[in-house]
Amino acid sequence: MRSREQDDASAVVYSPNWGPGIAQRVLALASELVDAEHRQADLQELLERALSVGAEVEHYFGAAVRDARANGVSWNEIARKARVSEATARAKWGPRTLRRQMQHRASLTTMPASPPVGVQQGTAPSDHRQRLGAAVSFLLRLHGEPLQAVAQEAGISASCLSRMLAGQRVPDWPTVFTVVVAAGGRPEEFRLLWEWARGHRQPTRRSAAAALTRFRGALRGLQWAVGRAGEHAPSTGTDDETLTAVLGGELVPDWTTTHRLVQQLGGNPEQVRPLWEDVQYAFLLSHDFFPQLGVRGATDLA
């Protein structure tokens, strides 16, 4: 019997241009590698992530050639620009070879990803999956992006994306990253929602800039999940000005205020508390830098 993941792989449909979605995934994988460096991951994880970046770059070569062929570029010109013989170009990037490569790639992107070394795997209640799905759904509606078009741009099947939006499954981060970018969003605003949905608990104690990015990203993600993000988001409480100041980089509230903001956004304050504590710890080490220059000065502390 075929699994749902296998069905997703065989049903994958790529957009007329394959390159953009794969290029976005290269960026997502590279950002994961940079994050692993920042948290001083062990050599095995660093090398595995580097290999993933390299493999996706190889897929991009094939996608770029396929797009060029679709636009009428001859094999002779492709071979010249790739600095290989025409026979080699046809062998490496011919239609049948590319289809096999892309189907294999699709099967890998639908497999559950293991948490990074040093990251604990906890429980992922369904409400966290639902919150991530609701946030991405609102992003699609706000930007008017059709589900099928986003799935094609991201290089996944529409059924795979539909199950993510319904909170039935949570793909790996590069897939979510690519979907968010294809829908016109900012991946950093969805990262914490994804971590909670996967049951990941990241190690604490980051630089001031990284701690602030994650804290504000969590609040922004919760905004997306309850449909309050965007220019025309409805006002639903008396703390709108405070939330705007936090997201705008002008304020890090005390815990009582943070607790209230998270509750108003439908989140779990205890999940956000470690992020808030990271920010407090980072500024404690900055020798009163924050009160003078505000959150925007945190870039000097990274």
Side-chain angles (χ1 to χ4, degrees), residues 12-14 18 94-104:
V12 66
V13 178
Y14 290 89
W18 292 8
R96 291 184 179 179
T97 302
L98 280 186
R99 177 55 61 180
R100 287 195 300 270
Q101 290 175 354
M102 293 302 171
Q103 288 181 337
H104 175 66

Side-chain angles (χ1 to χ4, degrees), residues 26 30 146 214 282:
V26 170
R214 287 174 63 80

Side-chain angles (χ1 to χ4, degrees), residues 2-18:
R2 292 176 61 84
S3 67
R4 283 186 171 179
E5 287 74 18
Q6 288 173 318
D7 289 337
D8 285 341
S10 62
V12 66
V13 178
Y14 290 89
S15 64
N17 290 322
W18 292 8

Side-chain angles (χ1 to χ4, degrees), residues 223-240:
Q223 267 196 317
W224 281 109
V226 296
R228 288 181 59 185
E231 295 181 359
H232 306 292
S235 175
T236 57
T238 59
D239 288 319
D240 288 338

Side-chain angles (χ1 to χ4, degrees), residues 182-235:
R186 297 178 178 178
E188 66 271 16
E189 296 177 355
F190 294 78
R191 172 73 192 204
L192 268 296
L193 295 179
W194 173 81
E195 289 185 12
W196 294 336
R198 291 295 287 258
H200 292 182
R201 294 193 297 272
Q202 290 283 352
T204 58
R205 302 301 178 252
R206 298 169 179 264
S207 70
L212 279 167
T213 296
R214 287 174 63 80
F215 174 67
R216 288 155 58 188
L219 295 181
R220 186 65 169 167
L222 292 174
Q223 267 196 317
W224 281 109
V226 296
R228 288 181 59 185
E231 295 181 359
H232 306 292
S235 175

Side-chain angles (χ1 to χ4, degrees), residues 39-40 76 92 101 152 160 172 180 200-201 210 239 268 295:
R39 54 184 171 76
Q40 299 179 330
N76 181 268
K92 290 182 65 174
Q101 290 175 354
Q152 288 180 339
C160 174
D172 61 12
V180 171
H200 292 182
R201 294 193 297 272
D239 288 319
N268 180 354
V295 175

Side-chain angles (χ1 to χ4, degrees), residues 81-213:
K81 292 183 176 180
R83 299 180 181 179
V84 297
S85 69
E86 183 173 334
T88 298
R90 288 177 180 272
K92 290 182 65 174
W93 302 309
R96 291 184 179 179
T97 302
L98 280 186
R99 177 55 61 180
R100 287 195 300 270
Q101 290 175 354
M102 293 302 171
Q103 288 181 337
H104 175 66
R105 172 183 178 272
S107 69
L108 294 178
T109 60
T110 56
M111 291 173 61
S114 300
V117 176
V119 176
Q120 296 178 320
Q121 181 83 23
T123 59
S126 60
D127 61 330
H128 299 324
R129 299 194 300 270
Q130 296 285 348
R131 188 173 289 120
L132 174 63
V136 178
S137 295
F138 181 63
L139 173 68
L140 266 62
R141 293 197 304 271
L142 185 67
H143 290 185
E145 296 292 343
L147 184 148
Q148 183 70 34
V150 170
Q152 288 180 339
E153 183 70 16
I156 61 175
S157 67
S159 62
C160 174
L161 179 55
S162 294
R163 286 200 289 275
M164 184 183 80
L165 299 181
Q168 296 174 357
R169 68 183 303 275
V170 183
D172 61 12
W173 172 242
T175 298
V176 176
F177 180 105
T178 305
V179 167
V180 171
V181 171
R186 297 178 178 178
E188 66 271 16
E189 296 177 355
F190 294 78
R191 172 73 192 204
L192 268 296
L193 295 179
W194 173 81
E195 289 185 12
W196 294 336
R198 291 295 287 258
H200 292 182
R201 294 193 297 272
Q202 290 283 352
T204 58
R205 302 301 178 252
R206 298 169 179 264
S207 70
L212 279 167
T213 296

